[in-house]
C-alpha cells in the first residue's frame, strides 16, 4: 500500500477542522488589531505597567491620591467671585459593565484600571453659596479602552441642585440629568461619540504627548455647561499645545493646552508641568456671562499625596487645614 501524500493529509485535516481554524484565525486577527467590542474588558485586566512607563506606576499605584488645591476666581452672574477649587486624581479599579468602582473580589475580572479625576469648585455669589463637583473615569490603557467611560457632575446653590451624567454605551454617550431648572428638569438623550473636554485633565496626566492637536470635535465640559445652562453636544474646537511663558502659575517648564470653540465664544487654557508627573498648576476659562466677557482662573496653592479616605477622625481636620493654607 502506498503512503498517503502529505498534501492530501493536509487537505483532509483542513476539511475536518475548518471551523476551528477559522475561529483561531479570527481571534488572532482581533488580538493583533487590538479590537474591542463595546469596550468589554479582557478576562484579566491589563496591567498599568504594561502600557505606561515605570514612573507612572511608581507614582500612582501607592495606595494614595494626589490632592491639589487652587485659588479660584469664578465667573457667574456677570462678575468674578473668589473661591477655592480642588483637583484630585487617583487610580482605581472600575467596572466596565455597571460603570462603578469595583469593591469586591468577585467583580475584579469585570474591572479595568482608570484614573479618576474629581474637580470641585466652591465660591460665593452675593449671598449664595455655590458648590460644583465633577467626577471623570478614564481608562489608563487607551490602546484597549479608547473612551472615557463615565462623567458625572452635580451643582448646588441656594435655589436648588442639579445632576448630569454621561455613560459610554455602544459607541455613544447616554446623557441623563435632573434639575430644579425647568428646561433641564428631566434629561435623557444621546450624543455621538467624541472626545470629552472633561477627560482632557486626565489625558494630560496619563500621556500629554498624545493630546489631540488641530481641529477636532469636543463635547464641552459638564461643569461649565451647567453654569451656562447648555445642552451637551459635540462642537468644533481648535486645539494647540505650546510653552507657557507667563508668570502667573507656579512651576518650571510649563505648557499650555489651549482649546478654543469658534462657534461658542469660549476658550479654555490648562497649564501643566512639562515633566512627569505633569501636575496641573492652573487654568483659565473665558466666556460671556451676562454680556460681560469674563475669565475664570485657578492657580495652584498646594499638592499632597494622601489616603484621605482613611483620615476621618476629628483630629484629622488639622491635615485639612494644612492643605488649604
Amino acid at each position: 500500500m502506498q503512503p498517503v501524500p502529505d498534501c492530501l493529509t493536509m487537505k483532509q485535516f483542513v476539511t475536518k477542522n475548518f471551523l476551528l481554524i477559522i475561529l483561531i484565525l479570527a481571534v488572532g486577527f482581533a488580538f493583533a488589531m487590538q479590537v474591542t467590542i463595546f469596550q468589554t474588558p479582557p478576562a484579566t485586566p491589563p496591567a498599568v505597567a504594561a502600557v505606561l512607563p515605570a514612573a507612572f506606576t511608581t507614582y500612582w499605584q501607592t495606595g494614595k491620591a494626589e490632592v491639589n488645591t487652587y485659588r479660584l476666581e469664578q465667573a457667574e452672574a456677570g462678575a468674578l467671585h473668589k473661591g477655592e477649587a480642588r483637583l484630585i486624581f487617583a487610580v482605581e479599579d472600575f467596572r466596565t459593565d455597571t460603570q462603578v468602582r469595583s469593591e469586591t473580589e468577585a467583580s475584579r475580572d469585570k474591572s479595568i484600571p482608570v484614573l479618576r479625576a474629581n474637580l470641585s469648585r466652591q465660591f460665593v455669589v452675593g449671598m449664595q453659596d455655590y458648590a460644583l463637583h465633577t467626577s471623570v473615569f478614564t481608562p489608563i490603557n487607551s490602546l484597549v479602552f479608547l473612551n472615557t467611560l463615565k462623567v458625572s457632575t452635580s451643582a448646588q446653590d441656594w435655589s436648588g441642585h442639579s445632576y448630569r451624567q454621561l455613560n459610554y454605551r455602544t459607541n455613544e454617550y447616554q446623557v441623563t440629568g435632573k434639575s430644579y431648572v425647568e428646561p433641564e428638569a428631566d434629561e435623557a438623550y444621546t450624543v455621538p461619540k467624541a472626545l470629552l473636554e472633561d477627560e482632557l485633565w486626565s489625558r494630560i496626566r496619563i500621556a500629554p504627548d498624545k493630546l489631540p492637536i488641530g481641529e477636532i470635535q469636543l463635547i464641552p465640559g459638564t461643569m461649565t455647561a451647567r453654569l451656562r445652562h447648555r445642552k451637551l453636544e459635540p462642537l468644533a474646537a481648535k486645539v494647540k499645545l505650546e510653552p507657557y511663558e507667563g508668570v502667573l502659575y507656579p512651576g518650571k517648564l510649563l505648557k499650555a493646552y489651549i482649546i478654543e470653540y469658534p462657534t461658542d465664544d469660549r476658550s479654555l487654557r490648562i497649564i501643566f508641568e512639562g515633566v512627569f508627573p505633569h501636575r496641573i498648576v492652573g487654568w483659565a476659562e473665558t466666556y460671556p456671562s451676562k454680556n460681560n466677557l469674563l475669565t475664570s482662573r485657578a492657580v495652584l496653592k498646594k499638592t499632597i499625596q494622601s489616603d484621605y479616605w482613611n483620615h476621618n477622625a476629628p483630629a484629622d481636620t488639622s491635615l485639612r487645614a494644612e492643605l488649604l493654607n
Side-chain angles (χ1 to χ4, degrees):
M1 182 177 179
Q2 294 183 346
V4 178
D6 290 345
C7 59
L8 181 58
T9 303
M10 180 61 69
K11 181 178 180 180
Q12 290 173 337
F13 176 82
V14 171
T15 302
K16 184 177 180 180
N17 298 278
F18 180 77
L19 292 179
L20 178 61
I21 293 172
I22 292 298
L23 179 61
I24 293 173
L25 290 174
V27 171
F29 178 78
F31 178 78
M33 297 301 292
Q34 296 174 325
V35 172
T36 60
I37 300 176
F38 306 143
Q39 297 202 124
T40 302
T44 302
V48 173
V51 294
L52 290 167
F56 187 95
T57 304
T58 301
Y59 185 82
W60 289 110
Q61 293 196 306
T62 60
K64 296 182 178 181
E66 181 195 83
V67 183
N68 303 277
T69 57
Y70 302 82
R71 291 188 301 273
L72 176 68
E73 283 189 319
Q74 180 64 49
E76 178 62 10
L80 292 174
H81 311 276
K82 294 186 181 300
E84 296 280 344
R86 279 171 288 283
L87 185 53
I88 302 172
F89 293 96
V91 169
E92 64 185 18
D93 292 328
F94 194 73
R95 293 183 59 161
T96 58
D97 53 352
T98 55
Q99 296 191 356
V100 295
R101 183 174 63 195
S102 172
E103 297 186 354
T104 63
E105 286 301 322
S107 66
R108 288 291 186 261
D109 63 344
K110 301 175 183 177
S111 305
I112 61 170
V114 302
L115 184 61
R116 168 174 56 83
N118 284 347
L119 173 60
S120 62
R121 305 184 198 185
Q122 290 83 37
F123 52 96
V124 176
V125 179
M127 291 181 62
Q128 299 188 65
D129 295 311
Y130 274 64
L132 300 99
H133 187 95
T134 295
S135 294
V136 187
F137 302 89
T138 302
I140 291 172
N141 190 342
S142 60
L143 296 178
V144 177
F145 299 92
L146 304 179
N147 301 98
T148 287
L149 297 178
K150 182 179 180 179
V151 177
S152 60
T153 289
S154 62
Q156 300 85 36
D157 57 51
W158 282 12
S159 297
H161 61 272
S162 64
Y163 184 83
R164 180 178 278 170
Q165 181 168 299
L166 289 80
N167 294 88
Y168 182 75
R169 306 282 190 193
T170 59
N171 237 22
E172 63 185 6
Y173 281 102
Q174 296 177 355
V175 183
T176 56
K178 299 289 184 180
S179 176
Y180 67 89
V181 180
E182 185 175 8
E184 306 166 6
D186 296 284
E187 293 182 314
Y189 58 93
T190 61
V191 295
K193 178 182 68 176
L195 191 67
L196 302 169
E197 181 186 304
D198 283 331
E199 72 183 276
L200 295 176
W201 311 80
S202 297
R203 299 291 181 196
I204 287 172
R205 305 308 305 272
I206 295 172
D209 58 317
K210 297 180 180 178
L211 291 168
I213 303 297
E215 296 184 1
I216 64 173
Q217 291 286 308
L218 267 180
I219 298 175
T222 51
M223 191 175 288
T224 300
R226 167 62 188 87
L227 289 173
R228 303 177 74 198
H229 300 287
R230 299 294 178 89
K231 186 175 181 178
L232 295 176
E233 60 179 342
L235 296 179
K238 296 181 179 180
V239 186
K240 58 184 177 180
L241 179 64
E242 60 186 34
Y244 173 75
E245 299 179 349
V247 296
L248 178 61
Y249 302 98
K252 298 180 180 179
L253 301 175
L254 299 182
K255 293 186 177 182
Y257 191 52
I258 303 168
I259 304 106
E260 297 179 342
Y261 295 93
T263 63
D264 197 35
D265 198 15
R266 175 173 169 261
S267 65
L268 172 66
R269 293 171 177 253
I270 305 175
I271 314 301
F272 66 95
E273 294 175 325
V275 295
F276 187 84
H278 308 296
R279 286 189 311 164
I280 293 174
V281 299
W283 63 87
E285 181 183 22
T286 303
Y287 58 83
S289 177
K290 281 196 172 181
N291 298 320
N292 292 328
L293 189 63
L294 300 175
T295 298
S296 302
R297 287 188 176 88
V299 179
L300 181 67
K301 295 197 307 181
K302 194 167 188 177
T303 299
I304 65 168
Q305 286 187 301
S306 171
D307 55 339
Y308 61 85
W309 47 87
N310 291 323
H311 298 286
N312 304 316
D316 292 329
T317 55
S318 62
L319 299 175
R320 176 183 173 83
E322 179 184 348
L323 175 65
L324 296 179
N325 287 338

